[in-house]
Amino acid sequence: MRLDKFLKVSRIIKRRSVAKEIADKDRIQINGKTAKSSSIVKVGDELEIRFGNKTLIAKVEDLRDTTKKDEAKELYSVIEERYKDQDSSKE
């Protein structure tokens, strides 16, 4: 499944156009490698997504073409969430 579609279906990012924009700005990595919106996502992949001041690391658990809102969180598991404020407090 394409990265931008997975992010939309899983509701990590609400709109596919926004997912495409973020991926094409090199703010998403799959298994440690920079990913584009057309990159293929497989079950077991680890995604690192950098939002403004937040970094989300999630593992792909399942792939589906469509999901209901309640089922979307079953498609991934959150490994870690980091905020820039936490990083700067260590200094």
Side-chain angles (χ1 to χ4, degrees):
M1 177 180 285
R2 283 177 56 113
L3 174 61
D4 56 351
K5 183 170 183 180
F6 175 78
L7 293 172
K8 178 192 178 294
V9 171
S10 65
R11 290 176 170 80
I12 293 174
I13 298 176
K14 301 276 191 276
R15 295 195 315 269
R16 192 168 176 176
S17 59
V18 175
K20 181 181 181 341
E21 184 180 326
I22 290 173
D24 291 343
K25 289 183 177 177
D26 297 336
R27 291 168 50 191
I28 301 178
Q29 293 185 339
I30 299 175
N31 299 325
K33 296 181 183 173
T34 302
K36 296 293 181 191
S37 58
S38 60
S39 297
I40 300 301
V41 176
K42 300 180 291 294
V43 173
D45 283 350
E46 190 174 291
L47 306 178
E48 181 175 330
I49 307 162
R50 290 187 313 276
F51 297 98
N53 64 345
K54 174 182 168 183
T55 300
L56 173 70
I57 301 173
K59 181 178 177 187
V60 178
E61 299 290 348
D62 195 6
L63 298 174
R64 297 185 200 157
D65 285 329
T66 61
T67 58
K68 295 179 179 169
K69 189 176 182 180
D70 301 342
E71 299 170 351
K73 290 192 183 232
E74 297 171 9
L75 299 182
Y76 66 95
S77 57
V78 175
I79 296 172
E80 183 182 357
E81 282 185 77
R82 290 189 304 248
Y83 295 88
K84 282 189 179 175
D85 295 348
Q86 291 175 338
D87 294 338
S88 63
S89 64
K90 294 177 184 175
E91 296 176 356

